Amino acid sequence: MLNRIFGLETEYGLLVNQDRPDHSPSWVAQRIRDHIFQSRRRGILDLHHRGHDEPPGNGGFLTNAGRVYLDMGHLEYASPECTTLTDLVAADRAGDRIIQGAVAELGLEDTVSIIKNNIDHETDATFGSHENYLVSRRFPFSRRGLTPLVTFLVTRQIFTGAGRIGCASDPNEWVQIGGLLLHRPGLRDARNRLLLPYQISQRADFIVNDFFEWVQHNRAIVNTRDEPLADPNQYRRIHLLCGDSNMAEYATALKMGTTGLVLQLIEAGQAPAGLAISDPVDALQEISRDADRTWEVRLETGQSISAIDIQEQFWMAADRHCRGQDEETDWVLDQWASVLAGLRGDYQGLVGRVDWASKLWLLETYREAEGAEWDDPVLKSLDLEYHNLHQAKGLYFGLEEEGRGLRLTTDRVITMAEDNPPRNTRAFGRGELIRHLLGAGSSTGFESSGGEEEEMPCDYVINWSNFRLRGAAPFFMPDPFKTYVQEVRRYVGGPQPASA
């Protein structure tokens, strides 16, 4: 798509299928990480502290230029930088395959399930799917400028949601009001939990603010942290954590593609006006929980309007402004219109394209066949199994096998993406660096021989926008659209890092 860098970060659920597990999920997660880097040598572990919660060895970059690491005990995969939706979907599924492949190679498939969802039904914990979009530094990153984006994000869940049984139980979260941090009463009281069998979004219950910079204790619709991972004079990174992890390739592409187009509308001053939502956080939860699927929201003007109507106004603006700029944009516009039309009819027509609809259809099929009520514990198990990354067990993969799950990639393309980065972003250069270090047999120790090397007590430091090898000057990659591959090859052809 036009002048856009995309990236996805996925935190995975890990289920140990034993009544009395021999090991904790976090222990298993560490084994999987160690297998990926040390046994399979798919990448290079970090040798430096990336933060207080990311010590050396916590994770690292892969040969496909993405990352695998542990985040608060969860396995997490970050895709490489991608300029096309096809590359992004392939890279996203490559991460799934790398982690599920490690489970199989460790002989753990019978006892460990990797779940690509966003909730733990037993503890009400949530784990995220973070979206990243590169925009110009001129992007109007203010409450007024971001209002169209908030409206779009609140309402896009009607086709991006992954669906879930029930709702979260914790009624309190921290919210900033003025200069104070206060508890915000939520909609999640005990009575509502009993009355709500199913909702369309997994993350809606856990979003408690419209704007905030934290990513854990005060999750917001728009994260305001300014960390571009690129030249800060030219770029800003829009970091979103309000969305669900998608199993359907179609849903992933449509989520990222439509959001990219809305960002383009905002940059160009072409976003539809007059659609500011009165209370975006409440609307996010109310849309998700609306069993009648009318999805009405109240605007600041006092008008009530459906989420479908709002999305259609964004689509019309994008169709006028963006149609014809490239083939992928036209695909997004066509599919956006198609799914909005489908949402006005029977949800079953969206099976295989929209995750919440696919899951709901599977659950309703089971309920009808077994005469089960919504409080049947088997339904929670089926909810999780929809997201199981084991191809023979995951219910979504059953839809794909039946031809109902639309593919944008092929198995061959995903296999290539496991080891190879996109060749039109700086991921290409970073991938070359990782391959060089693997071939050089870089040390994983922290010895220093004194002198200038005291300032760099390890063989290498690798970040998204820069790296440095011992004994060499830092190498900066401020432009994500540039591959840097020739420059990296010349750089590693000079002073070599220490080896074991």
Side-chain angles (χ1 to χ4, degrees):
M1 296 183 70
L2 187 67
N3 298 326
R4 188 73 64 210
I5 294 283
F6 300 97
L8 276 171
E9 304 162 49
T10 303
E11 298 176 8
Y12 297 93
L14 193 155
L15 181 63
V16 180
N17 304 304
Q18 294 175 320
D19 292 334
R20 295 183 177 180
D22 297 327
H23 300 286
S24 68
S26 60
W27 184 90
V28 176
Q30 292 175 37
R31 279 202 68 192
I32 293 171
R33 175 202 61 198
D34 292 346
H35 180 80
I36 290 170
F37 287 99
Q38 297 174 1
S39 299
R40 287 299 309 277
R41 291 177 57 79
R42 283 188 173 274
I44 291 290
L45 283 167
D46 297 326
L47 301 184
H48 68 292
H49 282 271
R50 297 183 66 86
H52 71 278
D53 57 348
E54 287 195 76
N58 183 69
F61 282 99
L62 305 168
T63 55
N64 75 356
R67 282 183 59 79
V68 166
Y69 48 101
L70 301 186
D71 184 359
M72 301 185 69
H74 284 277
L75 278 167
E76 184 162 353
Y77 168 77
S79 75
E81 301 92 328
C82 300
T83 60
T84 71
L85 298 175
T86 303
D87 281 349
L88 181 67
V89 171
D92 180 55
R93 295 200 76 168
D96 299 346
R97 296 271 184 96
I98 287 170
I99 290 174
Q100 182 61 40
V103 172
E105 290 157 4
L106 287 166
L108 297 175
E109 283 189 306
D110 291 337
T111 57
V112 172
S113 297
I114 302 297
I115 309 296
K116 190 180 183 181
N117 76 337
N118 305 107
I119 51 168
D120 182 333
H121 284 294
E122 301 305 316
T123 66
D124 267 341
T126 183
F127 23 99
S129 170
H130 297 184
E131 304 160 44
N132 298 285
Y133 306 84
L134 195 74
V135 297
S136 166
R137 179 52 67 170
R138 297 187 299 276
F139 186 92
F141 200 84
S142 64
R143 182 172 289 271
R144 180 179 180 182
L146 288 167
T147 293
L149 178 62
V150 170
T151 297
F152 169 77
L153 294 173
V154 166
T155 55
R156 72 170 188 175
Q157 63 180 301
I158 60 178
F159 58 84
T160 65
R164 63 161 293 179
I165 296 282
C167 60
S169 61
D170 184 3
N172 296 311
E173 287 283 358
W174 291 103
V175 63
Q176 186 179 39
I177 299 179
L180 300 176
L181 285 175
L182 304 173
H183 271 117
R184 175 188 185 277
L187 303 177
R188 304 178 285 278
D189 57 75
R191 184 171 180 271
N192 278 344
R193 293 200 301 276
L194 293 175
L195 295 177
L196 185 69
Y198 189 83
Q199 60 177 309
I200 65 173
S201 170
Q202 298 200 356
R203 289 285 273 181
D205 283 350
F206 301 94
I207 304 300
V208 298
N209 214 334
D210 47 2
F211 304 103
F212 207 67
E213 63 179 335
W214 294 358
V215 298
Q216 294 173 358
H217 303 296
N218 192 351
R219 301 176 186 90
I221 296 170
V222 176
N223 180 262
T224 59
R225 183 174 61 187
D226 189 1
E227 188 183 19
L229 303 178
D231 183 348
N233 295 313
Q234 294 191 57
Y235 300 113
R236 178 185 287 274
R237 178 172 61 110
I238 303 294
H239 185 65
L240 303 178
L241 45 90
C242 60
D244 297 355
S245 297
N246 293 111
M247 293 298 294
E249 293 185 1
Y250 180 98
T252 299
L254 195 59
K255 172 177 69 179
M256 302 296 290
T258 54
T259 306
L261 291 181
V262 169
L263 292 173
Q264 185 177 337
L265 290 175
I266 294 171
E267 288 174 311
Q270 298 293 324
L275 295 177
I277 295 175
S278 176
D279 189 329
V281 175
D282 281 353
L284 187 76
Q285 296 174 357
E286 289 166 359
I287 291 171
S288 179
R289 292 161 172 244
D290 184 358
D292 295 327
R293 296 192 284 278
T294 57
W295 299 316
E296 292 284 324
V297 297
R298 181 170 292 277
L299 304 181
E300 287 185 350
T301 61
Q303 175 189 3
S304 290
I305 185 173
S306 77
I308 299 177
D309 289 339
I310 289 174
Q311 284 291 316
E312 285 185 338
Q313 290 200 39
F314 277 101
W315 174 83
M316 287 188 289
D319 193 61
R320 286 193 303 269
H321 184 70
C322 306
R323 172 75 69 177
Q325 68 185 15
D326 56 61
E327 184 177 346
E328 197 163 67
T329 292
D330 289 353
W331 180 89
V332 171
L333 289 168
D334 291 343
Q335 298 308 313
W336 195 357
S338 173
V339 81
L340 291 177
L343 286 164
R344 294 192 181 278
D346 187 340
Y347 81 92
Q348 294 186 31
L350 300 170
V351 172
R353 292 189 289 166
V354 175
D355 281 310
W356 72 257
S358 301
K359 184 189 292 182
L360 180 59
W361 176 73
L362 289 168
L363 295 176
E364 291 285 24
T365 299
Y366 173 83
R367 285 190 347 105
E368 182 178 348
E370 301 296 329
E373 299 296 331
W374 278 107
D375 59 358
D376 187 331
V378 173
L379 292 177
K380 283 188 177 180
S381 297
L382 294 176
D383 185 338
L384 289 178
E385 287 304 304
Y386 180 85
H387 303 271
N388 194 330
L389 291 186
H390 192 300
Q391 296 246 340
K393 298 178 181 179
L395 298 183
Y396 174 75
F397 294 118
L399 292 176
E400 279 193 351
E401 189 174 340
E402 294 172 2
R404 302 193 67 161
L406 300 182
R407 298 287 303 271
L408 276 71
T409 67
T410 64
D411 289 342
R412 180 174 176 273
V413 168
I414 295 171
T415 299
M416 291 180 62
E418 289 182 39
D419 294 312
N420 299 282
R423 298 174 69 88
N424 57 356
T425 71
R426 70 178 173 201
F428 192 12
R430 189 184 310 114
E432 287 292 295
L433 172 68
I434 302 304
R435 291 181 187 280
H436 166 77
L437 292 174
L438 284 170
S442 294
S443 170
T444 56
F446 299 89
E447 300 83 0
S448 175
S449 59
E452 293 183 0
E453 291 183 355
E454 288 290 353
E455 299 179 4
M456 187 172 175
C458 54
D459 287 352
Y460 53 83
V461 173
I462 308 173
N463 295 303
W464 287 101
S465 59
N466 58 76
F467 65 87
R468 184 181 180 184
L469 306 186
R470 189 200 291 269
F475 187 101
F476 296 98
M477 298 188 290
D479 185 356
F481 291 98
K482 184 176 177 181
T483 69
Y484 294 98
V485 66
Q486 296 301 330
E487 295 92 330
V488 169
R489 287 169 178 167
R490 286 194 295 269
Y491 181 96
V492 300
Q496 296 296 306
S499 59

PDB file of all heavy atoms in Angstrom, residues 370-384:
ATOM      1  N   GLU A 370     -25.808 -30.651  20.283  1.00  0.00           N
ATOM      2  CA  GLU A 370     -25.733 -31.270  21.614  1.00  0.00           C
ATOM      3  C   GLU A 370     -26.805 -30.766  22.569  1.00  0.00           C
ATOM      4  O   GLU A 370     -26.884 -31.249  23.706  1.00  0.00           O
ATOM      5  CB  GLU A 370     -24.347 -31.000  22.225  1.00  0.00           C
ATOM      6  CG  GLU A 370     -23.192 -31.533  21.401  1.00  0.00           C
ATOM      7  CD  GLU A 370     -23.215 -33.055  21.307  1.00  0.00           C
ATOM      8  OE1 GLU A 370     -23.689 -33.703  22.263  1.00  0.00           O
ATOM      9  OE2 GLU A 370     -22.763 -33.591  20.271  1.00  0.00           O
ATOM     10  N   GLY A 371     -27.600 -29.804  22.139  1.00  0.00           N
ATOM     11  CA  GLY A 371     -28.591 -29.225  23.042  1.00  0.00           C
ATOM     12  C   GLY A 371     -27.953 -28.513  24.217  1.00  0.00           C
ATOM     13  O   GLY A 371     -28.495 -28.509  25.331  1.00  0.00           O
ATOM     14  N   ALA A 372     -26.815 -27.889  23.992  1.00  0.00           N
ATOM     15  CA  ALA A 372     -26.034 -27.282  25.079  1.00  0.00           C
ATOM     16  C   ALA A 372     -26.471 -25.840  25.318  1.00  0.00           C
ATOM     17  O   ALA A 372     -26.853 -25.123  24.392  1.00  0.00           O
ATOM     18  CB  ALA A 372     -24.549 -27.324  24.741  1.00  0.00           C
ATOM     19  N   GLU A 373     -26.396 -25.417  26.585  1.00  0.00           N
ATOM     20  CA  GLU A 373     -26.623 -24.028  26.952  1.00  0.00           C
ATOM     21  C   GLU A 373     -25.294 -23.265  26.893  1.00  0.00           C
ATOM     22  O   GLU A 373     -24.222 -23.856  26.844  1.00  0.00           O
ATOM     23  CB  GLU A 373     -27.224 -23.932  28.357  1.00  0.00           C
ATOM     24  CG  GLU A 373     -28.576 -24.623  28.493  1.00  0.00           C
ATOM     25  CD  GLU A 373     -29.659 -23.981  27.636  1.00  0.00           C
ATOM     26  OE1 GLU A 373     -29.562 -22.754  27.395  1.00  0.00           O
ATOM     27  OE2 GLU A 373     -30.583 -24.703  27.207  1.00  0.00           O
ATOM     28  N   TRP A 374     -25.391 -21.941  26.965  1.00  0.00           N
ATOM     29  CA  TRP A 374     -24.179 -21.131  26.849  1.00  0.00           C
ATOM     30  C   TRP A 374     -23.230 -21.303  28.033  1.00  0.00           C
ATOM     31  O   TRP A 374     -22.043 -20.974  27.932  1.00  0.00           O
ATOM     32  CB  TRP A 374     -24.535 -19.656  26.686  1.00  0.00           C
ATOM     33  CG  TRP A 374     -24.876 -19.300  25.273  1.00  0.00           C
ATOM     34  CD1 TRP A 374     -26.108 -19.030  24.770  1.00  0.00           C
ATOM     35  CD2 TRP A 374     -23.962 -19.183  24.179  1.00  0.00           C
ATOM     36  NE1 TRP A 374     -26.028 -18.762  23.423  1.00  0.00           N
ATOM     37  CE2 TRP A 374     -24.722 -18.837  23.031  1.00  0.00           C
ATOM     38  CE3 TRP A 374     -22.586 -19.340  24.045  1.00  0.00           C
ATOM     39  CZ2 TRP A 374     -24.140 -18.644  21.779  1.00  0.00           C
ATOM     40  CZ3 TRP A 374     -22.009 -19.141  22.809  1.00  0.00           C
ATOM     41  CH2 TRP A 374     -22.772 -18.800  21.691  1.00  0.00           C
ATOM     42  N   ASP A 375     -23.738 -21.806  29.169  1.00  0.00           N
ATOM     43  CA  ASP A 375     -22.842 -22.002  30.309  1.00  0.00           C
ATOM     44  C   ASP A 375     -22.174 -23.366  30.306  1.00  0.00           C
ATOM     45  O   ASP A 375     -21.472 -23.724  31.249  1.00  0.00           O
ATOM     46  CB  ASP A 375     -23.601 -21.799  31.625  1.00  0.00           C
ATOM     47  CG  ASP A 375     -24.780 -22.752  31.785  1.00  0.00           C
ATOM     48  OD1 ASP A 375     -25.040 -23.551  30.854  1.00  0.00           O
ATOM     49  OD2 ASP A 375     -25.443 -22.700  32.847  1.00  0.00           O
ATOM     50  N   ASP A 376     -22.362 -24.142  29.244  1.00  0.00           N
ATOM     51  CA  ASP A 376     -21.679 -25.436  29.110  1.00  0.00           C
ATOM     52  C   ASP A 376     -20.171 -25.188  29.018  1.00  0.00           C
ATOM     53  O   ASP A 376     -19.704 -24.468  28.134  1.00  0.00           O
ATOM     54  CB  ASP A 376     -22.173 -26.141  27.843  1.00  0.00           C
ATOM     55  CG  ASP A 376     -21.652 -27.568  27.712  1.00  0.00           C
ATOM     56  OD1 ASP A 376     -20.553 -27.846  28.221  1.00  0.00           O
ATOM     57  OD2 ASP A 376     -22.342 -28.392  27.091  1.00  0.00           O
ATOM     58  N   PRO A 377     -19.370 -25.766  29.935  1.00  0.00           N
ATOM     59  CA  PRO A 377     -17.918 -25.515  29.914  1.00  0.00           C
ATOM     60  C   PRO A 377     -17.236 -25.972  28.627  1.00  0.00           C
ATOM     61  O   PRO A 377     -16.148 -25.492  28.307  1.00  0.00           O
ATOM     62  CB  PRO A 377     -17.404 -26.295  31.123  1.00  0.00           C
ATOM     63  CG  PRO A 377     -18.477 -27.288  31.451  1.00  0.00           C
ATOM     64  CD  PRO A 377     -19.764 -26.648  31.053  1.00  0.00           C
ATOM     65  N   VAL A 378     -17.857 -26.872  27.887  1.00  0.00           N
ATOM     66  CA  VAL A 378     -17.268 -27.312  26.624  1.00  0.00           C
ATOM     67  C   VAL A 378     -17.138 -26.136  25.659  1.00  0.00           C
ATOM     68  O   VAL A 378     -16.197 -26.065  24.862  1.00  0.00           O
ATOM     69  CB  VAL A 378     -18.100 -28.442  25.990  1.00  0.00           C
ATOM     70  CG1 VAL A 378     -17.594 -28.783  24.585  1.00  0.00           C
ATOM     71  CG2 VAL A 378     -18.056 -29.687  26.867  1.00  0.00           C
ATOM     72  N   LEU A 379     -18.060 -25.179  25.741  1.00  0.00           N
ATOM     73  CA  LEU A 379     -18.020 -24.041  24.827  1.00  0.00           C
ATOM     74  C   LEU A 379     -16.767 -23.197  25.039  1.00  0.00           C
ATOM     75  O   LEU A 379     -16.190 -22.677  24.082  1.00  0.00           O
ATOM     76  CB  LEU A 379     -19.275 -23.190  24.981  1.00  0.00           C
ATOM     77  CG  LEU A 379     -20.587 -23.840  24.523  1.00  0.00           C
ATOM     78  CD1 LEU A 379     -21.754 -22.915  24.789  1.00  0.00           C
ATOM     79  CD2 LEU A 379     -20.521 -24.210  23.051  1.00  0.00           C
ATOM     80  N   LYS A 380     -16.339 -23.043  26.299  1.00  0.00           N
ATOM     81  CA  LYS A 380     -15.094 -22.319  26.542  1.00  0.00           C
ATOM     82  C   LYS A 380     -13.910 -23.053  25.928  1.00  0.00           C
ATOM     83  O   LYS A 380     -12.989 -22.431  25.393  1.00  0.00           O
ATOM     84  CB  LYS A 380     -14.871 -22.129  28.044  1.00  0.00           C
ATOM     85  CG  LYS A 380     -15.715 -21.040  28.668  1.00  0.00           C
ATOM     86  CD  LYS A 380     -15.304 -20.781  30.110  1.00  0.00           C
ATOM     87  CE  LYS A 380     -16.104 -19.635  30.715  1.00  0.00           C
ATOM     88  NZ  LYS A 380     -15.709 -19.377  32.125  1.00  0.00           N
ATOM     89  N   SER A 381     -13.941 -24.373  26.010  1.00  0.00           N
ATOM     90  CA  SER A 381     -12.865 -25.162  25.396  1.00  0.00           C
ATOM     91  C   SER A 381     -12.861 -24.978  23.886  1.00  0.00           C
ATOM     92  O   SER A 381     -11.795 -24.828  23.267  1.00  0.00           O
ATOM     93  CB  SER A 381     -13.017 -26.640  25.753  1.00  0.00           C
ATOM     94  OG  SER A 381     -12.905 -26.847  27.144  1.00  0.00           O
ATOM     95  N   LEU A 382     -14.054 -24.980  23.276  1.00  0.00           N
ATOM     96  CA  LEU A 382     -14.138 -24.784  21.831  1.00  0.00           C
ATOM     97  C   LEU A 382     -13.684 -23.376  21.449  1.00  0.00           C
ATOM     98  O   LEU A 382     -13.055 -23.180  20.403  1.00  0.00           O
ATOM     99  CB  LEU A 382     -15.569 -25.020  21.353  1.00  0.00           C
ATOM    100  CG  LEU A 382     -16.098 -26.456  21.491  1.00  0.00           C
ATOM    101  CD1 LEU A 382     -17.565 -26.519  21.081  1.00  0.00           C
ATOM    102  CD2 LEU A 382     -15.271 -27.419  20.647  1.00  0.00           C
ATOM    103  N   ASP A 383     -14.010 -22.395  22.303  1.00  0.00           N
ATOM    104  CA  ASP A 383     -13.554 -21.019  22.086  1.00  0.00           C
ATOM    105  C   ASP A 383     -12.027 -20.996  21.970  1.00  0.00           C
ATOM    106  O   ASP A 383     -11.462 -20.432  21.018  1.00  0.00           O
ATOM    107  CB  ASP A 383     -14.020 -20.159  23.260  1.00  0.00           C
ATOM    108  CG  ASP A 383     -13.699 -18.676  23.092  1.00  0.00           C
ATOM    109  OD1 ASP A 383     -12.795 -18.328  22.313  1.00  0.00           O
ATOM    110  OD2 ASP A 383     -14.353 -17.856  23.761  1.00  0.00           O
ATOM    111  N   LEU A 384     -11.343 -21.639  22.907  1.00  0.00           N
ATOM    112  CA  LEU A 384      -9.876 -21.685  22.861  1.00  0.00           C
ATOM    113  C   LEU A 384      -9.379 -22.469  21.654  1.00  0.00           C
ATOM    114  O   LEU A 384      -8.408 -22.063  21.000  1.00  0.00           O
ATOM    115  CB  LEU A 384      -9.327 -22.316  24.142  1.00  0.00           C
ATOM    116  CG  LEU A 384      -9.447 -21.489  25.425  1.00  0.00           C
ATOM    117  CD1 LEU A 384      -8.898 -22.274  26.603  1.00  0.00           C
ATOM    118  CD2 LEU A 384      -8.720 -20.166  25.297  1.00  0.00           C
TER     119      LEU A 384
END
